[in-house]
């Protein structure tokens, strides 16, 4: 740029009170490359902007410096004005002589000298500015939702209701996630299945939703607006198109004794099964590990009894590739198990609670199944060892949670509430029973939550004991609980019929593998990381990928659903445009000089640097160089500062521009 | 002091003492969040006036006099149950050791004299004989504690079964043990050891 | 309030390399709050401290700066997630290099100033200005024509090491 | 595999006094199994609980001294007493990454601390080095029908990072060794509760309570006898059993065997070498009843 215009603003008196603006303009006019300089009372006002536009046209300017307030205030304003005259907006820059000068200095001489320097720096920079074109990328308006728990279901329905296509991928044979296993839910005690199943059916029937159950993400490529996702549809051994869901196969399957994981192994299921009666889709799968046919080639009963001939033992895994514009990750959580940990595990576990050797020590989810009307006991609280109704039930909170050395250091957030719920459900079902809860703190910071907890104590007569339990052991048909009440300072011993452990919420096993496929980050516990804890709680730092539910951290249903709807809204915001436009502050690689050391690739926080193969006309590989994907690059410039051969440059902050400013110091 | 109000201020909280405990025990006191798991499993709880979790709590508040004045620390059996099960790896057993040492060095402001006496005799025994000499240990303890009749019935039984030796075993290299004791004393005098 | 204007024998020039999201905004806040500080500082804006090449600092010293300030977001607050982290690692290695070539490290300051810390910006700038003023002008380095060596080529073992330390 | 196992051996004070049956049966058993035991000459008391109770440095120095004496005898260091074992291992554990402490100790004993010397409890040697299968095949007289409560006490497993013998909450090593003899371990609740060893002298009342609970629990679980791997536990459960019975008014009549006594018995070591007559609660009626003599 060699015909730069400098416009010095008085900002009423805000600048001119301490800075001699006329002298600044005069000095600016003498700077190399400056063709025109003036000052004006209010540059951002309409007349001010007109003045700028007129000057550009009249003096044939090819660069602009507005010496005024902070660019954070008005850079957009002046770039737009410049653009209106046909100038490239990125050759217009602001020199901040207000926030950084007139407002922070009193001495007129000094302030004026500094203002001149500031203008000088910016003019030197603008001389080297390039015309940049805003970057646009097309948007595929089709969302992928990974995980079909309440989070995934809510997000999928919201996006689909907005009229966009959704692909929902669920690993299990049915959607529903943990919520489908719950009995009644705090803080209102409504039946989980009653509020959940209609939503599951809506997903199945929604014309905009493609549901892949019993499926996993195989591969993810591309970037915001343009992902390619390959889904592995595992072989169900049942043709979904033919199956009517009549259930005859399940009734006739001779393999009936397989522990039912959905019921926490308390009941059994056949080898061809749906996880629970309200499953969506209601199409069975054959559990090949336990099916006689797959183990020994015999049986084949289900195929014989199936009227529509839906059973297909030869079915193979199928790979489907989907074009996707945005991804919502909603893969939920796992529960911490108190089983012994392998020797190399950094956490020790809870041997003192019986390692699953005491049958009447169960976890919270098992209690949910016991309390659930559709559970293995039909909603009666009966203990696993002998099927008797327990009269003294002890609940222990924070098992695995908040235990930095034995388990994990965070609070699982939901167990205080669900334990309070459990004591109530128990009291509702066993009127003459007594519930005890060992706890450290009651963390109930939600709407109507503390009231709920207090109700458990005051109305349902649960006895809360502030203190933890050292050990559990079997004594006859009782489980002895060795605890302490720290308020009284005395040890407490309870001979319980049933002990329920509120085990911690943990990240999904394998969450890190999925994160690596998606290129998103996760914390040290393998929960997915949001881009900003407060202001971008549903976005991943990787553009175009959003988070919903417990995969991001322990969450109850209200929080999960809020986040899922928020993630859906973010997807819709993205889909509201056909093209994505973004500031062209992105890095570019000079392929001729790139030494292929990939130092840039290592430091890039966005994974924007790819390895690009350069081939000759015959297609022979000549060499590999770095290449920045402009759709992904965040524009931090770390690569450039890192590149030892200076082969990558950040547009808008090139070495040339920076050096010019330094020269002008 | 037992029931007097805790007056907390930067002066009354003796955190310097707590630092010493932390240094000696190699275990943080602040990590404890008062879950009470230590106290729940402590076999000696019923003999202590402050349960283990409260010992840590009092340290957190810099109220070490209250801890040392009581007999809790002397009634800890060093069974390591608390340290093993603490969710935060507060090494309470080591903290108890540290507190006993500090109390011991300060000539034991604590009430529990029998345990201290037994410890002292045990250590003296090592210094003199190199090994434990159970007969002397028991005899001297009984004399010094004034409990002449205690375990009277056991002694003869043990002797007839050959379990109590009338004469002690002495090491040939007994001089070395004395050297270890005196080197440690020397180091302490020079401030080279805690 | 800035002390009444005094005539100093020497007014140093301070170059401040700052990130746009945190420190630049922090300096803006100092302005909107009308805080006062010495006018010796010249601000160069970068998207992120991660963009700041150690060579810029050397060049600034050569081109007349008597002191250099590098300031960005607090650790963990980087707008680009990890840019300032890489910058920190790079500068740690770089300080040794500067020391090696004979720059008094008191002339160079790294700091974290967030968008909410107008006061801290004032403190940092004032502190550095006063310190450098008392040290006198930076002659040594300007006189050295090290330009060739500092053009960013990896031809000194120190720089090589500095780069390797980054990965 | 070469089957000759050789160890340096630290018996500890009790084995030369109140626990002489432990010493005798250990020697008898190891001889029968052809495992070499070479006593460290002129070892000192490890300091046991009283030393670390009030003077960590002294405790570490005493153990360090013993470790350095043991350096002169080849082989891993075999230890019979759970308390000595715990103290020696603790010393190594505390000094391995604490240079300052290590230097203090080195100064106190005027020499280096052999942190690399492997310290092993007899249980570990029998179950792991010798091996359960070989142990089983060495058994000549299976202890069929004998119901045994295996008592671990505190220090064999706690704190987990020190003994590294077995899981700190659900250990099985004693039961496994016992099963090799053909006896039957009972499942009971108090196998890792504290017996109050530290208060034997000063506060016998404590022992009466803690050890009483242990005896009661073993009895309730249907045990014929108790097996221990520590002379201090033995002292409380055996020597004090009469006192406990008197105080609680319950009759237990539970002989308390050392692990090596039962193993040696099963391996056909002559009963004269088991020190059975030294036990305060005589095991003779039980052994006769089960036809094990
Ligand atoms: C015992 C217990 C009681 C509770 N009670 C209540 C209550 O009363 N009230 C309340 O508000 N909250 C309660 N909660 C919390 C509630 O369960 C969670 O808030 C909720 O389930 C979180 O939903 P989600 O969709 O995020 O995760 P999930 O329910 O875990 O769903 C995740 C889904 O993703 C699928 N998936 C996982 N990985 C993959 C993959 N790689 N590819 C494809 N699919 C995948 C899973 O199969 C699953 O279907 C309770 C929790 C527990 C443990
Ligand atoms: C002391 C304190 C410290 C905190 N610290 C933290 C923290 O460290 N981290 C954190 O995450 N959160 C913190 N918070 C919580 C945080 O302040 C709130 O979460 C957040 O401010 C809520 O934002 P809001 O927009 O919902 O409500 P508000 O901030 O209350 O905004 C509501 C706005 O609506 C306007 N308004 C009200 N009524 C009307 C009307 N009728 N018509 C038009 N306008 C109206 C109000 O003037 C106001 O501007 C803190 C809160 C407090 C009190
Ligand atoms: S596979 Fe066949 S038998 Fe089984 S549910 Fe489907 S249609 Fe019915
Ligand atoms: S083939 Fe397998 S799934 Fe089908 S009925 Fe037989 S066992 Fe059941
Ligand atoms: S929610 Fe309650 S029970 Fe769960 S970890 Fe947090 S404090 Fe413990
Ligand atoms: S750092 Fe530079 S040379 Fe190395 S791969 Fe990246 S662009 Fe190429
Ligand atoms: S500028 Fe930043 S985001 Fe872009 S490629 Fe370089 S390092 Fe990656
Ligand atoms: S177990 Fe640990 S955290 Fe809990 S009260 Fe005891 S010392 Fe504190
Ligand atoms: S080590 Fe001491 S405080 Fe800890 S549980 Fe044992 S006796 Fe109690
Ligand atoms: S947030 Fe980070 S990246 Fe952003 S400007 Fe600050 S230091 Fe740089």
């Amino acid at each position: 740029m060699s015909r730069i215009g400098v416009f010095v603003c008085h900002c009423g008196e805000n600048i001119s009170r301490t800075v001699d603006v006329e002298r600044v303009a005069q000095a600016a006019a003498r700077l190399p490359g400056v063709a025109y300089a003036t000052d004006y009372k209010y540059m951002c006002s309409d007349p001010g902007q007109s003045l700028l536009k007129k000057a550009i046209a009249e003096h044939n300017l090819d660069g602009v410096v507005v010496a005024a307030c902070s660019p954070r205030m008005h850079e957009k304003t002046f770039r737009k004005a410049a653009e209106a005259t046909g100038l490239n907006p990125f050759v217009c820059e602001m020199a901040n002589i207000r926030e950084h000068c007139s407002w922070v200095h009193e001495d007129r001489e000094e302030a004026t000298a500094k203002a001149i320097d500031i203008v000088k720096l910016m003019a030197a920079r603008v001389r080297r500015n390039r015309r940049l074109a805003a970057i646009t990328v097309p948007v595929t308006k089709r969302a992928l939702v990974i995980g079909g728990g309440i989070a995934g279901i809510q997000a999928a329905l919201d996006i689909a209701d907005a009229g966009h296509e959704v692909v929902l991928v669920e690993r299990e044979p049915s959607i529903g996630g943990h919520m489908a296993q719950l009995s009644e839910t705090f803080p209102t005690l409504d039946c989980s299945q009653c509020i959940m199943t209609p939503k599951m059916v809506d997903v199945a029937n929604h014309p905009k939703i493609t549901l892949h159950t019993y499926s996993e993400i195989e591969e993810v490529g591309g970037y915001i607006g343009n992902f390619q996702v390959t889904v592995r549809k595992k072989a169900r051994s049942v043709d979904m198109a033919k199956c009517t869901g009549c259930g005859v196969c399940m009734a006739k399957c001779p393999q009936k004794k397989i522990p039912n994981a959905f019921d926490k192994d308390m009941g059994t299921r056949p080898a061809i099964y749906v996880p629970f009666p309200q499953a969506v889709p209601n199409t069975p799968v054959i559990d090949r590990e336990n099916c006689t046919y797959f183990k020994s080639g015999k049986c084949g009963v289900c195929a014989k009894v199936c009227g529509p001939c839906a059973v297909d033992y030869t079915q193979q895994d199928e790979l489907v590739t989907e074009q996707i514009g945005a991804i919502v990750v909603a893969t939920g959580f796992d529960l911490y198990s108190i089983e012994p940990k392998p020797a190399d595990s950094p956490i020790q576990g809870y041997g003192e609670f019986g390692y699953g050797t005491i049958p009447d020590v169960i976890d919270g989810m098992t209690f949910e199944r016991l309390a659930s009307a559709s559970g293995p006991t039909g909603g009666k609280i009966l203990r696993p060892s002998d099927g008797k109704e327990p009269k003294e039930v002890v609940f222990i909170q924070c098992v695995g949670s908040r235990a930095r050395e034995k388990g994990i250091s965070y609070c699982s957030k939901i167990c205080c509430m669900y334990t309070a719920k459990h004591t109530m459900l128990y009291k509702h079902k066993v009127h003459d029973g007594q519930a005890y809860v060992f706890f450290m703190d009651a963390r109930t910071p939600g709407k109507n939550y503390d009231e709920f907890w207090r109700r458990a104590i005051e109305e349902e007569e649960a006895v809360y004991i502030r203190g933890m339990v050292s050990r559990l052991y079997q004594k006859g048909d009782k489980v002895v609980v060795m605890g302490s009440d720290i308020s009284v300072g005395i040890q407490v011993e309870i001979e319980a019929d049933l002990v329920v452990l509120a085990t911690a919420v943990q990240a999904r096993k394998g969450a890190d593998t999925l994160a690596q496929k998606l290129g998103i980050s996760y914390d040290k516990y393998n929960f997915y990381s949001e881009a900003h804890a407060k202001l971008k709680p549903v976005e991943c730092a990787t553009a175009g990928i959003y988070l919903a539910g417990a995969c991001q951290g322990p969450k109850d249903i209200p929080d999960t659903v809020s986040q899922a709807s928020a993630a859906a809204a973010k997807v819709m915001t993205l889909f509201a445009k056909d093209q994505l436009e973004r500031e062209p502050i992105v890095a570019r690689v000079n392929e001729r000089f790139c030494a292929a050391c990939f130092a840039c690739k290592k430091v890039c926080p966005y994974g924007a640097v790819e390895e690009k193969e350069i081939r000759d006309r015959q297609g022979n590989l000549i060499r590999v160089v770095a290449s920045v994907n402009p759709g992904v690059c965040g524009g931090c410039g770390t690569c450039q500062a890192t590149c030892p051969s200076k082969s990558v440059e950040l547009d808008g902050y090139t070495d040339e521009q920076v050096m010019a400013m330094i020269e002008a110091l | 002091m037992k029931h007097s109000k805790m007056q907390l201020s930067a002066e009354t909280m003796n955190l310097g003492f707590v630092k010493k405990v932390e240094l000696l025990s190699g275990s943080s006191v602040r990590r404890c969040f008062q879950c009470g798991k230590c106290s729940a499993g402590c076999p000696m709880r019923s003999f202590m006036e402050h349960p283990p979790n409260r010992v840590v709590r009092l340290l957190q508040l810099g109220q070490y006099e209250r801890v040392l004045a009581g007999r809790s620390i002397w009634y800890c059996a060093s069974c390591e149950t608390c340290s093993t099960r603490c969710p935060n790896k507060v090494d309470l057993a080591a903290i108890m050791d540290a507190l006993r040492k500090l109390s011991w060095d300060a000539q034991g402001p604590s009430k529990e004299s029998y345990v201290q006496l037994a410890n002292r005799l045990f250590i003296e025994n090592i210094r003199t004989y190199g090994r434990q000499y159970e007969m002397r240990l028991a005899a001297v303890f009984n004399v010094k504690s004034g409990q002449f009749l205690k375990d009277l019935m056991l002694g003869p039984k043990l002797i007839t079964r050959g379990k109590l030796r009338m004469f002690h075993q002495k090491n040939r290299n007994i001089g070395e043990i004395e050297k270890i004791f005196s080197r440690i004393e020397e180091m302490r005098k020079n401030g080279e050891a805690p | 309030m800035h002390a009444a204007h005094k005539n100093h024998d020497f007014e140093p020039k301070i170059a401040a390399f700052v990130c746009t999201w945190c420190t630049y905004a922090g300096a803006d806040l100092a302005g909107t709050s009308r805080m006062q500080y010495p006018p010796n500082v010249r601000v160069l804006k970068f998207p992120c401290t991660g963009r700041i090449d150690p060579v810029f600092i050397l060049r600034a010293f050569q081109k007349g700066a008597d002191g250099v300030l590098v300031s960005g977001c607090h650790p963990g607050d980087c707008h680009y997630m990890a840019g300032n982290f890489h910058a920190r690692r790079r500068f740690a290695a770089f300080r040794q290099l500067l020391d090696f070539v004979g720059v008094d490290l008191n002339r160079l300051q790294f700091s974290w100033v967030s968008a909410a810390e107008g006061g801290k910006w004032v403190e940092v700038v004032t502190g550095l200005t006063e310190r450098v003023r008392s040290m006198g002008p930076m002659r040594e380095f300007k006189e050295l024509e090290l330009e060739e060596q500092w053009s960013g080529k990896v031809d000194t073992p120190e720089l090589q090491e500095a780069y390797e330390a980054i990965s | 595999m070469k089957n000759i196992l050789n160890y340096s051996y630290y018996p500890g004070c009790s084995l030369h006094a109140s626990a002489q049956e432990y010493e005798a049966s250990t020697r008898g058993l190891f001889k029968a199994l052809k495992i070499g035991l070479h006593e460290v000459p002129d070892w000192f008391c490890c300091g046991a609980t009283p030393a670390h109770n009030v003077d960590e440095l002294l405790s570490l120095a005493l153990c360090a001294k013993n470790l350095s004496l043991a350096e002169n005898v080849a082989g891993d260091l075999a230890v019979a007493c759970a308390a000595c074992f715990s103290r020696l291992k603790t010393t190594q554990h505390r000094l391995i990454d604490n240079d300052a402490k290590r230097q203090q100790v080195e100064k106190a004993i005027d020499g280096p601390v052999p942190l690399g010397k492997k310290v092993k409890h007899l249980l570990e040697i029998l179950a792991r080095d010798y091996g359960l299968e070989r142990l089983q095949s060495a058994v000549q007289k299976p202890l069929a029908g004998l119901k045994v409560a295996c008592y671990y006490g505190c220090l064999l497993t706690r704190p987990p990072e020190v003994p590294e013998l077995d899981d700190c909450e659900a250990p099985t090593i004693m039961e496994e060794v016992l099963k090799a003899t053909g006896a039957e371990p009972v499942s009971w609740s108090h196998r890792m509760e504290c017996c109050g060893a530290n208060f034997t002298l000063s506060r016998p009342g404590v022992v009466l309570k803690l050890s009483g609970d242990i005896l009661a629990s073993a009895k309730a679980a249907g045990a014929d006898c108790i097996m221990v791997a520590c002379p201090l536990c033995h002292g409380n459960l055996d020597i004090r059993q009469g006192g406990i019975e008197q105080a609680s008014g319950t009759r237990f009549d539970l002989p308390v065997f050392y692990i090596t006594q039962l193993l040696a018995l099963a391996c056909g070591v002559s009963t004269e070498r088991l020190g059975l007559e030294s036990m305060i609660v005589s095991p003779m009626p039980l052994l006769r009843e089960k036809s094990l003599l």
Side-chain angles (χ1 to χ4, degrees), chain B residues 69-138:
Chain B
R71 70 182 97 76
S72 291
I73 55 173
W74 297 106
Y75 265 52
C76 157
S78 299
C79 73
E80 302 275 355
T81 309
C82 48
S83 301
T84 299
R85 294 191 182 142
C86 172
N88 296 321
K89 237 191 183 87
V90 174
D91 192 346
L92 235 166
I95 289 174
M96 292 291 198
D97 275 356
L99 287 168
R100 279 183 294 250
K101 175 171 183 346
L102 292 168
S103 167
W104 184 265
D105 290 353
Q107 307 290 316
S110 163
K111 293 192 196 101
E112 180 45 54
S113 52
Y114 287 165
V115 180
Q116 297 197 50
L117 174 61
N119 283 344
R120 177 159 301 148
L121 294 175
F122 193 96
I123 293 173
E124 269 174 20
N125 246 358
I126 300 177
R127 194 166 185 164
T128 326
Y129 304 104
R131 294 184 189 167
Q132 277 321 313
Y133 175 24
E134 289 165 339
M135 185 76 155
R136 176 181 184 271
L137 194 59

Side-chain angles (χ1 to χ4, degrees), chain A residues 249 252-255 271-272 286 291-293 298-302 313:
Chain A
C249 53
K252 296 280 190 236
C253 172
Q255 277 290 357
I272 183 164
I286 295 183
C291 159
T292 321
Y293 182 85
K298 300 205 184 70
C299 189
V301 168
C302 50
Y313 300 125

Side-chain angles (χ1 to χ4, degrees), chain B residues 8 19 22 26 35 44-46 79 82 88 91 103 106 112 116 124 137 147 155 174 179:
Chain B
L8 293 189
K19 286 257 152 58
E22 292 190 322
C35 70
M44 299 300 291
R45 164 62 190 110
S46 50
C79 73
C82 48
N88 296 321
D91 192 346
S103 167
E112 180 45 54
Q116 297 197 50
E124 269 174 20
L137 194 59
Q147 300 188 314
I174 187 71
K179 277 194 207 143

Side-chain angles (χ1 to χ4, degrees), chain A residues 348 350 352-353 401-407 439-441 466-471 482-484 486-492, chain B residues 30-46 49 51 53-54 81 83-90:
Chain A
Q348 263 182 33
Y350 280 79
E352 66 270 35
F353 287 168
S401 312
R402 307 176 64 195
R404 65 168 106 188
E405 296 293 342
K406 290 178 78 72
F439 80 119
M440 287 194 261
D441 307 284
R466 196 181 294 272
M468 277 292 115
V469 169
S470 176
R471 202 184 145 213
M482 289 170 59
S484 80
I486 68 157
S487 312
V488 195
I490 297 180
Q491 291 175 329
V492 178
Chain B
R30 284 190 195 280
R31 279 181 158 217
C32 166
F33 55 28
Q34 290 295 306
C35 70
K37 190 163 176 130
C38 46
S39 303
C42 175
M44 299 300 291
R45 164 62 190 110
S46 50
E49 73 274 71
N53 75 290
R54 201 189 291 153
T81 309
S83 301
T84 299
R85 294 191 182 142
C86 172
N88 296 321
K89 237 191 183 87
V90 174

